[in-house]
């Protein structure tokens, strides 16, 4: 009989609920950055929780690798993003020293972090070793999707405090997610904090007098790895969305609200002026700027991230 294993009944709705509970209880949380004291800030309090789902990388090129294991060594052709890891994986499976493995990196039809993992290299080497012949392994789209190392689901809990003038005086941001670096480079995870999963939190450029950024590592039993900008995918979505909510609650223009938190970031102000928003912010008039106007019905405006 097939044993479906301990994770046979995993349900993402239940996993998300666990993540939300961890964010609210702060159980197992590690503080990564703390300026001021968020617990003593007094004013109007707003709270929000944001969730981003698991995502498959779904690169255009299916997962594949070609390997040839002979008495003289191992030769591998693979679209890998991590040559050193791939070479070590092939050597381990073949049972040979690393210097007996020749790796040819082919062009990648999309990687996005998925090809940092080398399970497909191990598979090709294992089959070639078993049949004593060169072999090319190409996954089906179904297998590619089912057996991905997914972008982790992330729960972001935020709590902000506005003073009487509508200024943001405190922000508490916690990310609850699986660690990508735990499986790639365990030594990079220090004191229980995966720096990749804290991107956008530990390096926030907003000048908030009381600020705390925390991380809670969870293990749901689902294979994960990075997708482009690891934690930034989820964390910036959460923090920027919450800043919009705070600005709305304060009755402030969202951009002006942000620029008030970027007093020592001149490029942010230059960028605002360059994008035709100067008039809205009290700068000299800029052709095309629409001060205080609403988007037409059925239309929206998107705020682009400012260059750092």
């Amino acid at each position: 009989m097939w044993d479906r294993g301990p994770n046979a009944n995993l349900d993402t709705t239940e996993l998300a609920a666990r993540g939300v509970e961890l964010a609210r209880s702060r159980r197992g949380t590690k503080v990564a950055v703390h300026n001021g004291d968020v617990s003593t800030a007094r004013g109007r309090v707003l709270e929000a929780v944001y969730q981003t789902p698991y995502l498959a990388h779904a690169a255009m090129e299916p997962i594949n690798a070609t390997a040839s294991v002979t008495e003289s060594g191992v030769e591998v052709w693979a679209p890998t993003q991590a040559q050193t890891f791939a070479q070590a994986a092939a050597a381990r499976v073949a049972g040979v020293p690393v210097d007996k493995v020749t790796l040819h990196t082919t062009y990648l039809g999309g990687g996005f972090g998925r090809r940092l993992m080398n399970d497909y290299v191990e598979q090709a080497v294992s089959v070639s070793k078993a049949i004593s012949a060169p072999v090319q392994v190409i996954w089906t789209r179904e297998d590619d999707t089912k057996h991905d190392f997914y972008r982790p689901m992330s729960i972001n809990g935020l709590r902000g405090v506005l003073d009487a003038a509508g200024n943001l005086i405190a922000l508490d941001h916690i990310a609850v997610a699986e660690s990508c670096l735990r499986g790639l480079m365990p030594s990079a995870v220090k004191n229980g904090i995966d720096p990749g999963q804290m991107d956008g939190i530990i390096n926030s450029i907003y000048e908030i007098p009381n600020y705390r950024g925390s991380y809670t590592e969870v293990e749901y039993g689902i294979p994960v790895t990075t997708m482009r900008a690891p934690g930034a995918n989820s964390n910036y979505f959460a923090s920027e969305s919450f800043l919009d909510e705070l600005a709305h609650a304060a009755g402030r223009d969202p951009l002006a609200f942000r620029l008030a938190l970027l007093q020592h970031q001149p490029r942010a102000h230059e960028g605002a002026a360059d994008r035709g928003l100067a008039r809205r912010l009290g700068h000299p008039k800029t052709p095309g700027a629409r001060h205080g106007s609403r988007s037409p019905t059925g239309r929206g405006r998107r705020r682009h991230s400012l260059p750092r």
Side-chain angles (χ1 to χ4, degrees), residues 1 3 7 11 25 40 63 116 145 159-160 200 206 228 233 258 280 297 306:
M1 289 181 60
D3 180 0
N7 298 322
D11 180 271
S25 69
T40 61
I63 293 296
L116 290 171
T145 303
R159 179 181 183 274
Y206 290 114
R228 296 300 295 268
N233 287 319
R258 286 172 168 82
R280 294 175 62 187
T297 301
L306 296 169

Side-chain angles (χ1 to χ4, degrees), residues 7-211:
N7 298 322
N9 297 314
L10 284 182
D11 180 271
T12 51
T13 301
E14 294 177 4
L15 298 183
R18 283 169 54 187
V20 171
E21 188 278 325
L22 287 171
R24 288 174 172 162
S25 69
R26 299 190 64 85
R27 185 160 44 86
T29 294
K30 306 293 183 182
V31 177
V33 57
H34 197 181
N35 302 318
D37 189 349
V38 296
S39 64
T40 61
R42 296 292 181 266
R44 183 180 178 186
V45 177
L46 280 83
E47 296 181 322
V49 174
Y50 299 89
Q51 174 188 344
T52 51
Y54 287 107
L55 288 180
H57 293 80
M60 181 177 292
E61 177 191 18
I63 293 296
N64 72 94
T66 300
S68 177
V69 179
T70 65
E71 292 183 358
S72 60
V74 181
E75 196 163 8
V76 176
W77 294 260
T80 177
Q81 292 177 259
Q83 288 82 355
T84 300
F85 292 164
Q87 186 182 38
R92 184 176 62 255
V93 172
V96 300
V98 172
D99 61 8
K100 292 294 184 180
V101 176
T102 299
L103 176 68
H104 306 276
T105 305
T106 60
Y107 287 115
L108 279 66
F112 318 122
R114 169 60 177 96
R115 299 181 204 273
L116 290 171
M117 312 306 288
N118 288 288
D119 49 323
Y120 53 98
V121 172
E122 296 176 356
Q123 189 179 58
V125 172
S126 179
V127 174
S128 177
K129 180 181 178 181
I131 66 175
S132 300
V135 64
Q136 182 182 49
V137 173
I138 302 178
W139 290 19
T140 64
R141 291 292 183 189
E142 292 81 359
D143 284 345
D144 194 352
T145 303
K146 283 183 179 179
H147 301 288
D148 198 352
F149 286 77
Y150 305 93
R151 185 195 74 173
M153 175 175 64
S154 180
I155 304 295
N156 277 249
L158 293 100
R159 179 181 183 274
V161 182
L162 299 169
D163 66 13
N167 300 307
L168 181 60
I169 58 173
L171 182 65
D172 198 358
H173 189 168
I174 179 172
V176 179
E178 293 124 313
S179 170
C180 293
L181 289 178
R182 181 75 68 184
L184 284 170
M185 295 179 288
S187 61
V189 181
K190 301 184 185 300
N191 302 316
I193 297 173
D194 181 332
Q197 292 303 87
M198 290 297 286
D199 192 6
I201 298 179
I202 57 176
N203 54 353
S204 172
I205 62 174
Y206 290 114
E207 300 152 9
I208 303 168
N210 303 286
Y211 178 74

Side-chain angles (χ1 to χ4, degrees), residues 211-244:
Y211 178 74
R212 179 170 64 180
S214 310
Y215 174 64
T216 301
E217 181 181 349
V218 290
E219 176 52 64
Y220 294 131
I222 294 175
V224 297
T225 194
T226 64
M227 178 178 280
R228 296 300 295 268
N233 287 319
S234 302
N235 300 337
Y236 278 119
F237 158 71
S239 60
E240 293 300 318
S241 296
F242 191 55
L243 284 176
D244 279 341

